[in-house]
PDB file of all heavy atoms in Angstrom:
ATOM      1  N   SER A 168     113.554 110.873 111.052  1.00 92.00           N
ATOM      2  CA  SER A 168     114.020 109.972 112.059  1.00 92.00           C
ATOM      3  C   SER A 168     113.768 110.541 113.450  1.00 92.00           C
ATOM      4  O   SER A 168     114.013 111.765 113.645  1.00 92.00           O
ATOM      5  CB  SER A 168     115.519 109.784 111.865  1.00 92.00           C
ATOM      6  OG  SER A 168     115.802 109.083 110.706  1.00 92.00           O
ATOM      7  N   PHE A 169     113.385 109.719 114.335  1.00 90.00           N
ATOM      8  CA  PHE A 169     113.065 110.154 115.719  1.00 90.00           C
ATOM      9  C   PHE A 169     113.716 109.117 116.663  1.00 90.00           C
ATOM     10  O   PHE A 169     113.133 108.031 116.947  1.00 90.00           O
ATOM     11  CB  PHE A 169     111.540 110.158 115.903  1.00 90.00           C
ATOM     12  CG  PHE A 169     111.081 110.775 117.211  1.00 90.00           C
ATOM     13  CD1 PHE A 169     111.270 112.142 117.530  1.00 90.00           C
ATOM     14  CD2 PHE A 169     110.472 109.957 118.221  1.00 90.00           C
ATOM     15  CE1 PHE A 169     110.849 112.636 118.732  1.00 90.00           C
ATOM     16  CE2 PHE A 169     110.046 110.477 119.446  1.00 90.00           C
ATOM     17  CZ  PHE A 169     110.244 111.819 119.683  1.00 90.00           C
ATOM     18  N   GLY A 170     114.880 109.348 117.027  1.00 83.00           N
ATOM     19  CA  GLY A 170     115.697 108.383 117.735  1.00 83.00           C
ATOM     20  C   GLY A 170     116.285 107.300 116.774  1.00 83.00           C
ATOM     21  O   GLY A 170     116.298 107.589 115.555  1.00 83.00           O
ATOM     22  N   TYR A 171     116.540 106.113 117.288  1.00 82.00           N
ATOM     23  CA  TYR A 171     117.171 105.104 116.437  1.00 82.00           C
ATOM     24  C   TYR A 171     116.188 104.224 115.765  1.00 82.00           C
ATOM     25  O   TYR A 171     116.511 103.586 114.735  1.00 82.00           O
ATOM     26  CB  TYR A 171     118.142 104.317 117.276  1.00 82.00           C
ATOM     27  CG  TYR A 171     119.392 105.030 117.702  1.00 82.00           C
ATOM     28  CD1 TYR A 171     119.571 105.289 119.017  1.00 82.00           C
ATOM     29  CD2 TYR A 171     120.267 105.410 116.805  1.00 82.00           C
ATOM     30  CE1 TYR A 171     120.707 106.042 119.422  1.00 82.00           C
ATOM     31  CE2 TYR A 171     121.459 106.140 117.166  1.00 82.00           C
ATOM     32  CZ  TYR A 171     121.624 106.391 118.511  1.00 82.00           C
ATOM     33  OH  TYR A 171     122.777 107.080 118.904  1.00 82.00           O
ATOM     34  N   GLY A 172     114.925 104.074 116.290  1.00 79.00           N
ATOM     35  CA  GLY A 172     114.046 103.093 115.697  1.00 79.00           C
ATOM     36  C   GLY A 172     112.616 103.570 115.548  1.00 79.00           C
ATOM     37  O   GLY A 172     111.694 102.762 115.652  1.00 79.00           O
ATOM     38  N   ASP A 173     112.470 104.882 115.213  1.00 87.00           N
ATOM     39  CA  ASP A 173     111.109 105.388 115.048  1.00 87.00           C
ATOM     40  C   ASP A 173     111.115 106.603 114.141  1.00 87.00           C
ATOM     41  O   ASP A 173     112.206 107.155 113.864  1.00 87.00           O
ATOM     42  CB  ASP A 173     110.516 105.738 116.316  1.00 87.00           C
ATOM     43  CG  ASP A 173     108.920 105.688 116.333  1.00 87.00           C
ATOM     44  OD1 ASP A 173     108.335 105.442 115.264  1.00 87.00           O
ATOM     45  OD2 ASP A 173     108.355 105.885 117.456  1.00 87.00           O
ATOM     46  N   LEU A 174     109.985 106.945 113.559  1.00 91.00           N
ATOM     47  CA  LEU A 174     109.817 108.136 112.746  1.00 91.00           C
ATOM     48  C   LEU A 174     108.748 108.997 113.306  1.00 91.00           C
ATOM     49  O   LEU A 174     107.826 108.491 113.977  1.00 91.00           O
ATOM     50  CB  LEU A 174     109.496 107.699 111.329  1.00 91.00           C
ATOM     51  CG  LEU A 174     110.549 106.864 110.542  1.00 91.00           C
ATOM     52  CD1 LEU A 174     109.935 106.345 109.240  1.00 91.00           C
ATOM     53  CD2 LEU A 174     111.841 107.694 110.220  1.00 91.00           C
ATOM     54  N   VAL A 175     108.827 110.236 112.981  1.00 94.00           N
ATOM     55  CA  VAL A 175     107.685 111.205 113.333  1.00 94.00           C
ATOM     56  C   VAL A 175     107.417 112.029 112.089  1.00 94.00           C
ATOM     57  O   VAL A 175     108.368 112.412 111.314  1.00 94.00           O
ATOM     58  CB  VAL A 175     108.084 112.068 114.529  1.00 94.00           C
ATOM     59  CG1 VAL A 175     109.242 112.988 114.259  1.00 94.00           C
ATOM     60  CG2 VAL A 175     106.827 112.809 115.038  1.00 94.00           C
ATOM     61  N   VAL A 176     106.209 112.443 111.896  1.00 96.00           N
ATOM     62  CA  VAL A 176     105.785 113.261 110.718  1.00 96.00           C
ATOM     63  C   VAL A 176     105.646 114.701 111.184  1.00 96.00           C
ATOM     64  O   VAL A 176     104.954 115.071 112.124  1.00 96.00           O
ATOM     65  CB  VAL A 176     104.465 112.802 110.121  1.00 96.00           C
ATOM     66  CG1 VAL A 176     104.036 113.702 108.993  1.00 96.00           C
ATOM     67  CG2 VAL A 176     104.527 111.375 109.628  1.00 96.00           C
ATOM     68  N   ASP A 177     106.394 115.621 110.489  1.00 97.00           N
ATOM     69  CA  ASP A 177     106.348 117.039 110.707  1.00 97.00           C
ATOM     70  C   ASP A 177     105.600 117.601 109.528  1.00 97.00           C
ATOM     71  O   ASP A 177     106.100 117.683 108.438  1.00 97.00           O
ATOM     72  CB  ASP A 177     107.754 117.574 110.801  1.00 97.00           C
ATOM     73  CG  ASP A 177     107.741 119.022 111.056  1.00 97.00           C
ATOM     74  OD1 ASP A 177     106.649 119.722 110.991  1.00 97.00           O
ATOM     75  OD2 ASP A 177     108.804 119.640 111.296  1.00 97.00           O
ATOM     76  N   TYR A 178     104.298 117.991 109.812  1.00 97.00           N
ATOM     77  CA  TYR A 178     103.415 118.439 108.644  1.00 97.00           C
ATOM     78  C   TYR A 178     103.861 119.736 108.001  1.00 97.00           C
ATOM     79  O   TYR A 178     103.342 120.176 106.998  1.00 97.00           O
ATOM     80  CB  TYR A 178     101.979 118.406 109.026  1.00 97.00           C
ATOM     81  CG  TYR A 178     101.473 116.990 109.097  1.00 97.00           C
ATOM     82  CD1 TYR A 178     101.422 116.312 110.353  1.00 97.00           C
ATOM     83  CD2 TYR A 178     101.067 116.319 108.016  1.00 97.00           C
ATOM     84  CE1 TYR A 178     100.954 114.955 110.440  1.00 97.00           C
ATOM     85  CE2 TYR A 178     100.574 114.991 108.017  1.00 97.00           C
ATOM     86  CZ  TYR A 178     100.476 114.404 109.280  1.00 97.00           C
ATOM     87  OH  TYR A 178     100.055 113.055 109.359  1.00 97.00           O
ATOM     88  N   ARG A 179     104.816 120.440 108.667  1.00 97.00           N
ATOM     89  CA  ARG A 179     105.347 121.678 108.058  1.00 97.00           C
ATOM     90  C   ARG A 179     106.074 121.338 106.742  1.00 97.00           C
ATOM     91  O   ARG A 179     106.182 122.166 105.897  1.00 97.00           O
ATOM     92  CB  ARG A 179     106.301 122.357 108.983  1.00 97.00           C
ATOM     93  CG  ARG A 179     105.703 122.873 110.341  1.00 97.00           C
ATOM     94  CD  ARG A 179     106.733 123.499 111.258  1.00 97.00           C
ATOM     95  NE  ARG A 179     107.678 122.452 111.700  1.00 97.00           N
ATOM     96  CZ  ARG A 179     108.717 122.708 112.470  1.00 97.00           C
ATOM     97  NH1 ARG A 179     108.940 123.973 112.933  1.00 97.00           N
ATOM     98  NH2 ARG A 179     109.543 121.708 112.869  1.00 97.00           N
ATOM     99  N   ASN A 180     106.537 120.191 106.590  1.00 98.00           N
ATOM    100  CA  ASN A 180     107.266 119.716 105.442  1.00 98.00           C
ATOM    101  C   ASN A 180     106.426 119.885 104.160  1.00 98.00           C
ATOM    102  O   ASN A 180     106.919 120.166 103.030  1.00 98.00           O
ATOM    103  CB  ASN A 180     107.784 118.328 105.565  1.00 98.00           C
ATOM    104  CG  ASN A 180     108.963 118.160 106.506  1.00 98.00           C
ATOM    105  OD1 ASN A 180     109.715 119.069 106.647  1.00 98.00           O
ATOM    106  ND2 ASN A 180     108.997 117.092 107.191  1.00 98.00           N
ATOM    107  N   LEU A 181     105.120 119.561 104.234  1.00 98.00           N
ATOM    108  CA  LEU A 181     104.265 119.595 103.018  1.00 98.00           C
ATOM    109  C   LEU A 181     104.120 120.983 102.410  1.00 98.00           C
ATOM    110  O   LEU A 181     104.400 121.151 101.284  1.00 98.00           O
ATOM    111  CB  LEU A 181     102.870 119.012 103.338  1.00 98.00           C
ATOM    112  CG  LEU A 181     102.917 117.475 103.640  1.00 98.00           C
ATOM    113  CD1 LEU A 181     101.529 117.008 104.134  1.00 98.00           C
ATOM    114  CD2 LEU A 181     103.462 116.676 102.534  1.00 98.00           C
ATOM    115  N   PRO A 182     103.768 122.044 103.198  1.00 97.00           N
ATOM    116  CA  PRO A 182     103.683 123.350 102.602  1.00 97.00           C
ATOM    117  C   PRO A 182     105.079 123.880 102.176  1.00 97.00           C
ATOM    118  O   PRO A 182     105.174 124.649 101.248  1.00 97.00           O
ATOM    119  CB  PRO A 182     103.058 124.218 103.720  1.00 97.00           C
ATOM    120  CG  PRO A 182     103.185 123.499 104.928  1.00 97.00           C
ATOM    121  CD  PRO A 182     103.088 122.019 104.570  1.00 97.00           C
ATOM    122  N   GLU A 183     106.063 123.513 102.988  1.00 98.00           N
ATOM    123  CA  GLU A 183     107.464 123.890 102.580  1.00 98.00           C
ATOM    124  C   GLU A 183     107.824 123.362 101.208  1.00 98.00           C
ATOM    125  O   GLU A 183     108.397 124.127 100.403  1.00 98.00           O
ATOM    126  CB  GLU A 183     108.480 123.440 103.674  1.00 98.00           C
ATOM    127  CG  GLU A 183     108.445 124.206 104.888  1.00 98.00           C
ATOM    128  CD  GLU A 183     109.429 123.778 105.935  1.00 98.00           C
ATOM    129  OE1 GLU A 183     109.983 122.703 105.713  1.00 98.00           O
ATOM    130  OE2 GLU A 183     109.629 124.421 106.977  1.00 98.00           O
ATOM    131  N   MET A 184     107.521 122.179 100.922  1.00 98.00           N
ATOM    132  CA  MET A 184     107.810 121.594  99.601  1.00 98.00           C
ATOM    133  C   MET A 184     106.906 122.116  98.544  1.00 98.00           C
ATOM    134  O   MET A 184     107.322 122.297  97.352  1.00 98.00           O
ATOM    135  CB  MET A 184     107.864 120.053  99.646  1.00 98.00           C
ATOM    136  CG  MET A 184     108.912 119.458 100.562  1.00 98.00           C
ATOM    137  SD  MET A 184     109.027 117.622 100.456  1.00 98.00           S
ATOM    138  CE  MET A 184     107.471 117.046 100.983  1.00 98.00           C
ATOM    139  N   ALA A 185     105.658 122.329  98.857  1.00 97.00           N
ATOM    140  CA  ALA A 185     104.703 122.848  97.869  1.00 97.00           C
ATOM    141  C   ALA A 185     105.074 124.226  97.441  1.00 97.00           C
ATOM    142  O   ALA A 185     104.732 124.634  96.347  1.00 97.00           O
ATOM    143  CB  ALA A 185     103.246 122.889  98.539  1.00 97.00           C
ATOM    144  N   ALA A 186     105.808 124.969  98.251  1.00 97.00           N
ATOM    145  CA  ALA A 186     106.289 126.276  97.882  1.00 97.00           C
ATOM    146  C   ALA A 186     107.173 126.262  96.593  1.00 97.00           C
ATOM    147  O   ALA A 186     107.360 127.332  96.058  1.00 97.00           O
ATOM    148  CB  ALA A 186     107.001 126.970  99.071  1.00 97.00           C
ATOM    149  N   PHE A 187     107.691 125.148  96.290  1.00 97.00           N
ATOM    150  CA  PHE A 187     108.618 125.049  95.079  1.00 97.00           C
ATOM    151  C   PHE A 187     107.729 124.865  93.813  1.00 97.00           C
ATOM    152  O   PHE A 187     108.336 124.729  92.790  1.00 97.00           O
ATOM    153  CB  PHE A 187     109.582 123.863  95.290  1.00 97.00           C
ATOM    154  CG  PHE A 187     110.276 123.850  96.577  1.00 97.00           C
ATOM    155  CD1 PHE A 187     110.506 122.710  97.171  1.00 97.00           C
ATOM    156  CD2 PHE A 187     110.764 125.050  97.137  1.00 97.00           C
ATOM    157  CE1 PHE A 187     111.184 122.610  98.542  1.00 97.00           C
ATOM    158  CE2 PHE A 187     111.397 124.984  98.342  1.00 97.00           C
ATOM    159  CZ  PHE A 187     111.706 123.856  99.011  1.00 97.00           C
ATOM    160  N   GLY A 188     106.450 124.847  93.891  1.00 96.00           N
ATOM    161  CA  GLY A 188     105.592 124.787  92.703  1.00 96.00           C
ATOM    162  C   GLY A 188     105.461 123.385  92.177  1.00 96.00           C
ATOM    163  O   GLY A 188     105.220 123.208  90.969  1.00 96.00           O
ATOM    164  N   VAL A 189     105.638 122.319  93.031  1.00 97.00           N
ATOM    165  CA  VAL A 189     105.521 120.967  92.626  1.00 97.00           C
ATOM    166  C   VAL A 189     104.484 120.234  93.457  1.00 97.00           C
ATOM    167  O   VAL A 189     104.172 120.667  94.462  1.00 97.00           O
ATOM    168  CB  VAL A 189     106.905 120.176  92.773  1.00 97.00           C
ATOM    169  CG1 VAL A 189     108.014 120.943  91.984  1.00 97.00           C
ATOM    170  CG2 VAL A 189     107.309 120.062  94.224  1.00 97.00           C
ATOM    171  N   PRO A 190     103.877 119.159  92.853  1.00 97.00           N
ATOM    172  CA  PRO A 190     102.968 118.381  93.647  1.00 97.00           C
ATOM    173  C   PRO A 190     103.661 117.735  94.876  1.00 97.00           C
ATOM    174  O   PRO A 190     104.806 117.311  94.743  1.00 97.00           O
ATOM    175  CB  PRO A 190     102.436 117.282  92.663  1.00 97.00           C
ATOM    176  CG  PRO A 190     102.786 117.830  91.290  1.00 97.00           C
ATOM    177  CD  PRO A 190     104.051 118.634  91.519  1.00 97.00           C
ATOM    178  N   VAL A 191     102.981 117.721  96.045  1.00 98.00           N
ATOM    179  CA  VAL A 191     103.538 117.119  97.177  1.00 98.00           C
ATOM    180  C   VAL A 191     102.628 115.981  97.638  1.00 98.00           C
ATOM    181  O   VAL A 191     101.474 115.988  97.565  1.00 98.00           O
ATOM    182  CB  VAL A 191     103.737 118.149  98.345  1.00 98.00           C
ATOM    183  CG1 VAL A 191     104.750 119.176  97.954  1.00 98.00           C
ATOM    184  CG2 VAL A 191     102.423 118.793  98.717  1.00 98.00           C
ATOM    185  N   VAL A 192     103.301 114.901  98.154  1.00 98.00           N
ATOM    186  CA  VAL A 192     102.688 113.668  98.502  1.00 98.00           C
ATOM    187  C   VAL A 192     103.000 113.310  99.906  1.00 98.00           C
ATOM    188  O   VAL A 192     104.122 113.549 100.359  1.00 98.00           O
ATOM    189  CB  VAL A 192     103.031 112.528  97.518  1.00 98.00           C
ATOM    190  CG1 VAL A 192     102.476 111.169  97.960  1.00 98.00           C
ATOM    191  CG2 VAL A 192     102.694 112.896  96.089  1.00 98.00           C
ATOM    192  N   MET A 193     102.150 112.700 100.608  1.00 98.00           N
ATOM    193  CA  MET A 193     102.413 112.093 101.934  1.00 98.00           C
ATOM    194  C   MET A 193     102.497 110.575 101.805  1.00 98.00           C
ATOM    195  O   MET A 193     101.467 109.947 101.366  1.00 98.00           O
ATOM    196  CB  MET A 193     101.330 112.506 102.955  1.00 98.00           C
ATOM    197  CG  MET A 193     101.632 112.025 104.377  1.00 98.00           C
ATOM    198  SD  MET A 193     102.948 112.994 105.118  1.00 98.00           S
ATOM    199  CE  MET A 193     104.027 111.674 105.703  1.00 98.00           C
TER     200      MET A 193
END
Side-chain angles (χ1 to χ4, degrees):
S168 295
F169 187 68
Y171 291 113
D173 207 355
L174 298 169
V175 64
V176 176
D177 181 350
Y178 286 95
R179 294 176 298 179
N180 288 325
L181 295 175
E183 285 179 351
M184 295 191 298
F187 310 140
V189 301
V191 295
V192 176
M193 185 72 234

